[in-house]
Amino acid sequence: MKIFLDGKFVDEADAKVSVFDHGLLYGDGVFEGIRLYGGNVFRLDEHLERLEYSAKAILLALPMSRAELAAATCETCRQNKLTDAYIRLVVTRGVGDLGLAPWNCSKPTTFIIASKISLYPQEHYDNGLAIVTVPTRRINPAAVPPTVKSLNYLNNILGKIEAKQFGALEAIMLNDQGYIAECTADNIFTVHKGAIYTPSASQGALKGVTRGTIVDIAKALNLPLQEAPMTRYDVWCADECFLTGTGAEVIPVSKLDGRSIGTGKPGPITQRVLAEFRRRVLVEGARI
Ligand code: PXG
């Protein structure tokens, strides 16, 4: 496997970063998880825009332009002769000393990995996923904005561990006011009486690229969609629920906290949205 590392393509065995890199020492850095579908890097520009916003929020000057990052991302896929892949683009604060101070890091570290992705088993797309609410709350936007896709994922990892302890593959995380923020690595949507709802970023949701695609799909299909505060009750009593993410795509939810949602089977609006999503992943983005 060839890895893009600071401007060069190196073998996997040589793709190493220093133990003094602040990405490792402090989780100081930003990243994107991107998919390649049939030679199309899905919504690459949207991913790179979010990376730029994440970097800006943490005062990290990206060492490459959007065009350079796009070219490097596509080239990483070509170098590995991939047509379908999961791409991880990471920019860390770079190598510094043992203090927190980011201004002692002289230049950011940039790397791009294009590899396989582990997906949810197909049965969950057919029958829906049973999820739970975990006790760990999504971090307060006044502490670290959850809109920043940073290398500091402990909050979500704790949620993921608790999900597993409760026997679930994904879980809802509440914000500190008790409203639903999102899942550990996915955004959440409900369908109620023909309208689609999702929590806003100010409730603690990442502005997911897949989430943005769903907003566009809803418009195109003339389905009303609005951002709204969402409680667990709203999900329990929804007609349909689905999660979205680069890894998950659009996955139906059959149960939350032991309560069946709607019929307990993937609903008709979820299926329409999923079908349109599958069409778009091949055409929206950058050909490699
Ligand atoms: N919320 C969080 C906290 C995420 O990390 C999403 C929502 C969905 O956003 P996108 O832009 O992907 O629609 C994410 C994305 C992984 C993995 O390795 C995680 C994500 C994406 C891809 C892979 O588990 N999280």
Side-chain angles (χ1 to χ4, degrees):
M1 190 194 291
K2 292 280 186 197
I3 313 287
F4 177 91
L5 178 59
D6 289 332
K8 295 195 188 70
F9 286 95
V10 298
D11 286 330
E12 188 179 339
D14 301 320
K16 296 191 172 139
V17 295
S18 164
V19 293
F20 290 95
D21 193 297
H22 280 210
L24 175 61
L25 287 175
Y26 298 115
D28 185 355
V30 293
F31 79 102
E32 282 297 317
I34 310 169
R35 286 281 284 277
L36 172 70
Y37 289 94
N40 180 55
V41 187
F42 181 58
R43 293 206 166 196
L44 178 57
D45 204 51
E46 287 84 343
H47 279 287
L48 295 177
E49 180 182 70
R50 185 172 64 187
L51 186 81
E52 288 168 1
Y53 290 158
S54 294
K56 183 170 192 179
I58 68 163
L59 292 102
L60 170 65
L62 291 177
M64 292 166 71
S65 68
R66 193 184 300 190
E68 287 167 340
L69 285 169
T73 302
C74 293
E75 185 57 25
T76 307
C77 298
R78 283 195 294 268
Q79 291 266 333
N80 291 288
K81 299 188 171 49
L82 293 164
T83 52
D84 291 87
Y86 175 66
I87 303 160
R88 173 63 56 93
L89 199 174
V90 180
V91 183
T92 78
R93 190 73 69 176
V95 173
D97 57 26
L98 290 179
L100 282 181
W103 46 89
N104 293 326
C105 302
S106 57
K107 77 172 181 39
T109 305
T110 306
F111 58 87
I112 307 173
I113 307 167
S115 180
K116 295 219 159 59
I117 185 164
S118 62
L119 304 169
Y120 288 120
Q122 180 60 37
E123 60 173 290
H124 299 304
Y125 291 90
D126 299 336
N127 303 319
L129 193 62
I131 64 171
V132 293
T133 309
V134 287
T136 296
R137 297 288 173 108
R138 194 75 177 96
I139 199 157
N140 186 315
V144 179
T147 36
V148 172
K149 201 160 165 69
S150 85
L151 294 180
N152 223 300
Y153 251 56
L154 255 189
N155 183 219
N156 310 65
I157 289 165
L158 291 178
K160 183 97 182 160
I161 291 168
E162 288 171 341
K164 185 164 193 278
Q165 286 169 340
F166 295 130
L169 293 178
E170 183 52 293
I172 284 179
M173 299 184 80
L174 307 177
N175 65 23
D176 62 1
Q177 293 173 332
Y179 290 96
I180 293 172
E182 57 178 344
C183 291
T184 68
D186 296 303
N187 291 113
I188 184 165
F189 291 78
T190 57
V191 180
H192 192 236
K193 298 189 192 295
I196 306 176
Y197 300 88
T198 194
S200 65
S202 56
Q203 299 285 348
L206 182 81
K207 292 184 182 182
V209 170
T210 320
R211 175 183 182 273
T213 310
I214 302 311
V215 171
D216 293 346
I217 288 174
K219 253 183 226 145
L221 298 183
N222 269 323
L223 297 165
L225 181 150
Q226 71 185 72
E227 291 185 349
M230 187 183 283
T231 63
R232 293 200 301 156
Y233 168 91
D234 296 323
V235 180
W236 298 334
C237 301
D239 302 322
E240 302 179 34
C241 175
F242 59 90
L243 312 181
T244 68
T246 295
E249 302 179 318
V250 177
I251 189 158
V253 174
S254 56
K255 268 188 180 180
L256 170 62
D257 303 326
R259 291 133 169 113
S260 280
I261 296 165
T263 62
K265 293 271 166 217
I269 291 185
T270 304
Q271 283 169 328
R272 273 179 74 193
V273 168
L274 174 56
E276 176 60 10
F277 179 79
R278 291 247 158 95
R279 189 188 70 75
R280 288 181 181 230
V281 294
L282 296 166
V283 292
E284 291 184 353
R287 299 297 309 176
I288 60 168

